[in-house]
Amino acid sequence: MDIFDVLTAISKRKIAFMHNGINEREALMRAELDISREYNIALLDIKKLSGQRFNSA
């Protein structure tokens, strides 16, 4: 498993959620959470891979 496998899985899961009527933002959040659990990767790491920015306060 590499970064591209994880990103592909997130994208596919997000699209599946969107086809079920969930808006894009919510679908992305749910996909990230699902893949985080499925691949046993910390959610923060998943969000970093997805390109989300965080404030370090």
Side-chain angles (χ1 to χ4, degrees):
M1 167 183 60
D2 64 7
I3 293 170
F4 298 108
D5 293 333
V6 174
L7 292 174
T8 299
I10 292 169
S11 179
K12 287 181 179 180
R13 191 72 50 93
K14 177 183 133 185
I15 290 168
F17 281 130
M18 289 173 59
H19 282 289
N20 287 325
I22 298 173
N23 70 46
E24 186 174 2
R25 185 179 179 125
E26 180 69 21
L28 177 59
M29 291 189 317
R30 287 186 185 191
E32 290 172 340
L33 185 59
D34 279 3
I35 298 304
S36 171
R37 290 177 178 160
E38 186 175 320
Y39 284 66
N40 199 26
I41 300 173
L43 186 57
L44 183 61
D45 292 337
I46 293 283
K47 291 187 177 291
K48 287 178 184 177
L49 285 175
S50 297
Q52 296 178 17
R53 296 179 184 254
F54 299 93
N55 293 334
S56 56

